[in-house]
Amino acid sequence: MTPFVSVPRRGPSSYHMQNPALVFDRLGLRRGSVLLDLGCGPGDYALQAAEIVGTTGRVHAMDLSESLLRWVAEEAVQRDLTNVSAQVGDMRARLPFDDETVDVCLIAQVLHALPDRAVCLPSVFGEVFRVLRARGTLAIIECKKEDACFGPPLSARLGPEDLIPVAETRGFAAASNHDLGVSYLLLLSAVWDRER
């Protein structure tokens, strides 16, 4: 497997750093599910999820890059996936989705790059909690907090121990942590009473 595969016109992707089948097995998507892929990049996860959730489901692919989102939209058309919406957006701001409309939110290899994480992470987790349905899942993929010759520098890496305490303050509980080789998949469940 080649870390951070770069394909002309699409941009870099961390999709092939781990086994995508293992990731999707853990996400628990099914027909009719709604997935939000925050920081979707070239949309590898979003496009595969669209095939899983089918025409009764929906995939929202959101990124800061208009050119990457054009690629996602074009690829969705090529694959005849009518259930993908690609939109420009910043996860650090209010998300353009109604409350409790998403089953699974995926953030893959993005959180380590946020500036001023002490401020950004609580805000991001709060917004994800708002748009998730009760018992919805926040799935985070990040490189392990280990020195490596690829990916973010060790000083920028985030381990589950960095993310879980912040997520808990925004209504999440840690559900499980899965070893993906060079990365990990942390699953968090939106469990707190929404009236709190």
Side-chain angles (χ1 to χ4, degrees), residues 147-151 157:
D147 225 348
C149 59
F150 59 87
R157 295 182 181 222

Side-chain angles (χ1 to χ4, degrees), residues 32-84:
S33 293
V34 177
L35 173 88
L36 170 58
D37 186 354
L38 283 180
C40 67
D44 293 313
Y45 290 106
L47 293 165
Q48 184 170 343
E51 295 176 0
I52 295 170
V53 303
T55 56
T56 59
R58 191 85 188 144
V59 173
H60 302 288
M62 195 173 107
D63 201 277
L64 287 170
S65 170
E66 289 183 38
S67 62
L68 287 176
L69 290 169
R70 276 195 299 274
W71 164 266
V72 174
E74 290 169 10
E75 192 65 18
V77 169
Q78 288 292 321
R79 298 186 192 187
D80 198 27
L81 297 171
T82 59
N83 57 349
V84 177

Side-chain angles (χ1 to χ4, degrees), residues 105-166:
C105 176
L106 173 65
I107 308 177
Q109 302 290 1
V110 176
L111 294 179
H112 68 267
L114 290 176
D116 195 7
R117 294 190 307 227
V119 173
C120 288
L121 285 177
S123 174
V124 169
F125 290 158
E127 272 299 284
V128 170
F129 183 84
R130 179 183 66 78
V131 302
L132 280 176
R133 294 189 171 108
R135 301 286 174 184
T137 299
L138 169 56
I140 298 170
I141 299 175
E142 283 287 339
C143 287
K144 290 178 182 174
K145 209 168 176 181
E146 300 171 351
D147 225 348
C149 59
F150 59 87
L154 181 59
S155 60
R157 295 182 181 222
L158 293 166
E161 69 278 7
D162 301 308
L163 299 171
I164 292 170
V166 182

